[in-house]
């Protein structure tokens, strides 16, 4: 493993078993990851489900971390957190206790069967872009425009800030 630290942005989402508490606990678990520290976190936002509409609204947020974990090691650590929260992967866009996704990892562009960075759908989702913009307004997504310009394309997606 390299000694160099990377800045990564992690999307958090939940719509089962008290989603606000799920996200609050997940923020704490991100802080406990080895060779990682939580730099900032967004407010919590309520959003309508995407794809499968017959489920509760989601609570979403974004965290910025500094980590020495390599991208795949970070992914494995995030999957372990999800599992501790009772995450079951039954189908795409299904309700979930906790969803953690690596959005960005420095300016890395990476693709394999397990992980794609930048996250492939982040530029289409207000529930990712708005919290990311809140904590990193000048952040650039490799291959895309500034976050504020991308957000303007998602104006039809209802998003409600519920807590700081």
């Amino acid at each position: 493993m390299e000694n160099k630290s990377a800045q990564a942005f992690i999307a958090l989402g939940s719509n089962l078993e008290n989603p606000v508490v799920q996200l609050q606990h997940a923020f704490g678990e991100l802080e406990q990851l080895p060779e990682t520290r939580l730099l900032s976190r967004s407010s919590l936002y309520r959003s309508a489900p995407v794809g499968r509409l017959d489920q509760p609204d989601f609570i979403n947020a974004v965290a910025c971390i500094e980590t020495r974990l390599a991208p795949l090691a970070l992914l494995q650590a995030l999957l372990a957190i999800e599992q501790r929260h009772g995450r079951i992967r039954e189908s795409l866009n299904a309700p979930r206790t906790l969803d953690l996704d690596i959005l960005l990892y420095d300016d890395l562009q990476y693709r394999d069967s397990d992980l794609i960075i930048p996250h492939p759908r982040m530029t289409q989702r207000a529930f990712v872009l708005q919290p990311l913009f809140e904590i990193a307004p000048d952040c650039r997504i490799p291959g895309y425009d500034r976050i504020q310009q991308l957000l303007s394309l998602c104006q039809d997606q209802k998003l409600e800030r519920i807590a700081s």
Side-chain angles (χ1 to χ4, degrees):
M1 175 173 45
E2 289 184 2
N3 287 333
K4 181 181 177 274
S5 291
Q7 186 177 71
F9 290 92
I10 310 299
L12 299 86
S14 175
N15 73 340
L16 295 176
E17 299 179 27
N18 199 341
V20 170
V21 171
Q22 294 285 351
L23 266 59
Q24 289 170 339
H25 287 167
F27 282 127
E29 290 176 82
L30 289 174
E31 277 190 300
Q32 301 303 313
L33 291 176
E35 299 186 85
T36 301
R37 68 184 179 113
L38 181 65
L39 298 177
S40 61
R41 53 171 274 193
S42 73
S43 301
L44 302 181
Y45 292 83
R46 181 185 326 277
S47 66
V50 173
R52 185 173 160 188
L53 305 179
D54 62 334
Q55 60 181 316
D57 285 350
F58 278 84
I59 303 301
N60 302 98
V62 169
C64 178
I65 62 171
E66 181 179 70
T67 187
R68 289 194 168 146
L69 296 175
L72 289 173
L74 178 58
L75 174 64
Q76 291 306 312
L78 297 179
L79 293 174
I81 292 171
E82 287 181 356
Q83 191 171 31
R84 286 194 299 272
H85 283 252
R87 169 78 188 263
I88 299 171
R89 294 179 181 274
E90 60 185 38
S91 65
L92 187 64
N93 297 320
R96 61 205 78 154
T97 52
L98 185 63
D99 186 24
L100 300 172
D101 291 317
I102 301 171
L103 300 174
L104 300 166
Y105 186 98
D106 278 343
D107 59 358
L108 180 69
Q109 294 186 57
Y110 180 86
R111 176 183 285 271
D112 77 7
S113 59
D114 296 320
L115 179 62
I116 300 172
I117 300 172
H119 190 282
R121 292 172 301 285
M122 70 178 285
T123 59
Q124 305 159 5
R125 308 276 168 82
F127 63 80
V128 170
L129 294 171
Q130 184 61 49
L132 179 59
F133 181 73
E134 177 186 328
I135 62 172
D138 296 325
C139 177
R140 291 208 179 258
I141 301 167
Y144 294 94
D145 294 328
R146 292 174 91 63
I147 298 171
Q148 194 167 17
Q149 292 165 323
L150 291 168
L151 258 173
S152 68
L153 301 174
C154 300
Q155 290 177 4
D156 60 331
Q157 298 175 27
K158 184 180 175 204
L159 193 64
E160 174 191 3
R161 183 173 180 234
I162 61 166
S164 299

